[in-house]
């Protein structure tokens, strides 16, 4: 991650603090030029697409220069700070303070791959180097042909390229069809993969060209000017940018199904009050969310097939034999979904303690990237905002997410009579590729049944 610019000055580069991240924003510098730093000292705080992380310097010295200002988004691998590791020495020349240093030459020898650093990982060689060409300056014929075809499709006339394929790419049945219809394949625009001409392309070449219609006159009224005081533009970056991309990707990749159930949770609320005074629960926060989490864990235990993920590349359903329970948390930086590792193995006091630590850490903005990786199912508590329920979007890579609505006193038929009872609505969204309606319904029904009769935590758990 570091490279000597001389015997005296060393560059500290932006590390990959979250396995696969490509950039990070510098939120705050804790040092200035001239400050003395020691190995392991935190020099800045950066925000990645997953969390805010403090970066320690890996050597002793004096800060010579800060390469970027606060608020700047920096690519992984770019030098962010220069340190004088031999202050007072006359040896070495200070490197120029360039915001985007040129890539360093390849080392003659050394370990390959990603090298661990104090925080995260160094830059992978694969992310900074191009694959060597097969020939010295030679252009493969297929690449040249594809470039020519793409230029034609884009409506850009291109001169013939020496060495391009003289014969259009098409399968024998397509060539026979073109011959039968009298179509010259060299005049057909291919739409198949790798520039292959398909049957549809041949048929399209024989269809008569549609007559151009005169465009209707545009009579748009001039837009009224908007003053700066009437709008505020907020840059989309960091956690907000990552959340937006993840939600769009999830919504348009996994076919979502959401089911709802309204349940009487009066007995659960009484149990919450009893647990608050239980000596085994001393020092931990007891709230309805704790029992909702425990109820969902029991439901997943009874129906383990729901705790799965879809592997698109392998075309397999991966059933997880562990539950990393995600808890959606609203923070000043945006939505975070850290998870409690191996939540299925925790006792109720342990689950309460882990839940409290997870929420407080998220609100303080100190959630680490590792805490948000590997989740299997998630709970989002929209009830804290007074909302009855919602249709939550799956956290990418997970199979289900449970939304918990507000708990309200409502008229309810109890033992044949209408009485005021504490009622809430649960909503379970699941990935319909791997969870069918029956399985999703059973998980939701079991969760509701436990909250209606909490003693099922014992009989079912």
């Amino acid at each position: 991650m570091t490279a000597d610019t001389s015997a005296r000055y060393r560059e500290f580069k932006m590390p990959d603090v979250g396995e696969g991240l490509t950039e990070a924003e510098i939120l705050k510098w804790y040092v200035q030029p001239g400050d003395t730093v020691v190995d392991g000292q935190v020099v800045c705080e950066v925000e990645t697409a997953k969390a805010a992380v403090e970066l320690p310097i890996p050597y002793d010295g004096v800060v010579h220069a800060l390469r970027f200002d606060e608020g700047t988004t920096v690519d992984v691998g770019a030098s962010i700070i220069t340190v004088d590791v031999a202050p007072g020495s006359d040896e070495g020349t200070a490197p120029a303070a360039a915001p985007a240093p040129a890539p360093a030459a390849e080392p003659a020898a050394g370990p390959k791959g990603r090298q661990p650093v104090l925080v995260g990982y160094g830059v992978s060689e694969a992310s900074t180097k191009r694959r060597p060409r097969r020939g010295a300056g030679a252009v493969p014929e297929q690449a040249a042909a594809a470039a020519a075809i793409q230029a034609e499709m884009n409506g850009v006339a291109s001169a013939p390229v020496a060495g391009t394929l003289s014969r259009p790419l098409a399968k024998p049945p397509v060539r026979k069809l073109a011959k039968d219809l009298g179509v010259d394949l060299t005049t057909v625009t291919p739409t198949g993969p790798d520039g292959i001409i398909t049957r549809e392309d041949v048929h399209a070449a024989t269809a008569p060209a549609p007559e151009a219609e005169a465009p209707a006159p545009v009579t748009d009224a001039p837009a009224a000017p908007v003053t700066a005081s009437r709008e505020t533009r907020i840059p989309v970056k960091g956690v907000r940018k990552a959340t937006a991309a993840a939600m769009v990707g999830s919504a348009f990749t996994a076919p979502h199904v959401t089911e709802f159930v309204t349940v009487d949770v009066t007995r659960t609320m009484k149990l919450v009050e009893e647990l608050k005074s239980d000596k085994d629960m001393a020092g931990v926060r007891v709230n309805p969310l704790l029992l909702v989490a425990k109820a969902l864990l029991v439901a997943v235990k009874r129906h383990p097939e729901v705790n799965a993920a879809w592997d698109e590349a392998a075309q397999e359903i991966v059933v997880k034999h562990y539950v990393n329970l995600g808890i959606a948390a609203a923070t000043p930086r945006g939505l975070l979904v850290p998870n409690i590792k191996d939540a299925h193995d925790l006792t109720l006091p342990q689950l309460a303690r882990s839940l409290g630590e997870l929420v407080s850490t998220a609100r303080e903005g100190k959630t680490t990237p590792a805490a948000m990786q590997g989740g299997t199912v998630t709970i989002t508590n929209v009830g804290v905002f007074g909302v009855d329920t919602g249709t939550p979007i799956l956290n990418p890579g997970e199979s289900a997410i449970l939304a918990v609505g507000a708990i309200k006193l409502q008229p309810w038929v109890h033992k044949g009579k209408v009485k005021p009872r504490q009622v809430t609505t649960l909503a379970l969204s699941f990935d319909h590729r791997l969870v069918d309606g029956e399985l999703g319904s059973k998980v939701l029904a079991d969760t509701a049944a436990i909250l209606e009769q909490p003693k099922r935590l014992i009989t079912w758990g």
Side-chain angles (χ1 to χ4, degrees), residues 309-355:
W310 182 272
D311 188 336
E312 181 66 29
Q315 287 294 291
E316 294 175 341
I317 294 175
V318 184
V319 179
K320 310 293 180 64
H321 303 299
Y322 58 91
V323 181
N324 290 344
L325 182 63
I327 304 294
T331 72
R333 288 194 175 98
L335 176 67
L336 298 179
V337 190
N339 59 76
I340 300 173
K341 309 299 184 185
D342 295 324
H344 62 290
D345 286 336
L346 303 181
T347 64
L348 193 64
Q350 291 171 337
L351 184 61
R353 188 171 295 105
S354 297
L355 189 60

Side-chain angles (χ1 to χ4, degrees), residues 144-160 185-190:
I149 291 171
Q150 186 62 48
E152 183 70 21
M153 293 176 66
N154 293 340
V156 179
S158 59
L185 288 179
T186 60
T187 65
V188 178
T189 301

Side-chain angles (χ1 to χ4, degrees), residues 281-329:
M281 304 298 288
V284 298
R285 183 180 181 185
V286 179
N287 56 18
L289 180 61
L290 171 62
L291 294 185
V292 171
K294 193 64 176 178
L296 180 59
L297 290 171
V298 172
V300 171
K301 181 180 178 181
R302 286 167 57 85
H303 308 283
E305 298 85 359
V306 76
N307 190 43
W310 182 272
D311 188 336
E312 181 66 29
Q315 287 294 291
E316 294 175 341
I317 294 175
V318 184
V319 179
K320 310 293 180 64
H321 303 299
Y322 58 91
V323 181
N324 290 344
L325 182 63
I327 304 294

Side-chain angles (χ1 to χ4, degrees), residues 4 120 122 126 148 181 184 208 214 247 262-263 269 271-272 276 279 291 296 319 409 447 458:
D4 290 331
L181 297 178
D184 182 0
M247 292 298 97
T262 302
V263 58
M269 297 305 292
L271 179 57
V272 168
K276 287 180 179 180
K279 63 178 183 179
L291 294 185
L296 180 59
V319 179
L409 201 62
T447 304
I458 301 174

Side-chain angles (χ1 to χ4, degrees), residues 174 283 358 362:
V174 177
L358 178 147

Side-chain angles (χ1 to χ4, degrees), residues 148-414:
I149 291 171
Q150 186 62 48
E152 183 70 21
M153 293 176 66
N154 293 340
V156 179
S158 59
V161 180
T164 58
L165 298 178
S166 59
R167 190 182 187 192
L169 299 177
K171 296 181 179 179
V174 177
R175 293 185 182 279
K176 184 178 183 304
L177 175 64
K179 182 178 180 180
D180 294 342
L181 297 178
V183 176
D184 182 0
L185 288 179
T186 60
T187 65
V188 178
T189 301
T191 61
D194 299 324
I196 295 177
I197 297 174
T198 65
R199 297 178 65 90
E200 290 75 15
D201 298 335
V202 175
H203 285 299
T206 62
E211 295 183 2
E213 297 182 1
V218 179
T219 58
D220 291 342
V226 179
T227 60
S229 61
R230 291 170 60 85
E231 294 181 349
T232 300
R233 290 183 172 268
I234 303 173
V236 180
K237 55 186 179 180
V239 173
R240 180 72 64 183
K241 182 178 180 180
T243 300
M247 292 298 97
V248 171
S250 177
F252 292 98
T253 300
H256 284 56
V257 173
T258 305
E259 295 185 340
F260 308 87
V261 63
T262 302
V263 58
D264 177 4
V265 295
T266 304
R267 290 185 178 91
T268 289
M269 297 305 292
K270 290 180 179 179
L271 179 57
V272 168
E273 295 303 317
E274 292 174 4
L275 290 173
K276 287 180 179 180
S277 58
D278 192 303
K279 63 178 183 179
D280 291 332
M281 304 298 288
V284 298
R285 183 180 181 185
V286 179
N287 56 18
L289 180 61
L290 171 62
L291 294 185
V292 171
K294 193 64 176 178
L296 180 59
L297 290 171
V298 172
V300 171
K301 181 180 178 181
R302 286 167 57 85
H303 308 283
E305 298 85 359
V306 76
N307 190 43
W310 182 272
D311 188 336
E312 181 66 29
Q315 287 294 291
E316 294 175 341
I317 294 175
V318 184
V319 179
K320 310 293 180 64
H321 303 299
Y322 58 91
V323 181
N324 290 344
L325 182 63
I327 304 294
T331 72
R333 288 194 175 98
L335 176 67
L336 298 179
V337 190
N339 59 76
I340 300 173
K341 309 299 184 185
D342 295 324
H344 62 290
D345 286 336
L346 303 181
T347 64
L348 193 64
Q350 291 171 337
L351 184 61
R353 188 171 295 105
S354 297
L355 189 60
E357 292 173 355
L358 178 147
V359 173
S360 62
T361 301
R363 288 176 177 170
E364 292 171 2
K366 296 181 179 180
T367 302
T368 63
M372 293 185 286
Q373 296 174 352
T376 60
V377 293
T378 291
I379 296 175
T380 176
N381 186 12
V382 297
V384 296
F385 306 108
V387 176
D388 290 335
T389 190
T391 54
I393 296 178
L394 293 168
N395 202 32
E398 299 183 10
S399 60
I401 179 171
L402 179 71
V404 184
I407 300 174
K408 299 179 180 179
L409 201 62
Q410 297 183 15
W412 194 264
V413 178
H414 178 67

Side-chain angles (χ1 to χ4, degrees), residues 1 42 65 82 99 102 105 111 148 235 238 255 269 276 280 328 356 404 423 425 428 452:
M1 183 187 67
V42 173
T82 305
M269 297 305 292
K276 287 180 179 180
D280 291 332
V404 184
V423 178
T425 299
L428 182 72
E452 186 176 18

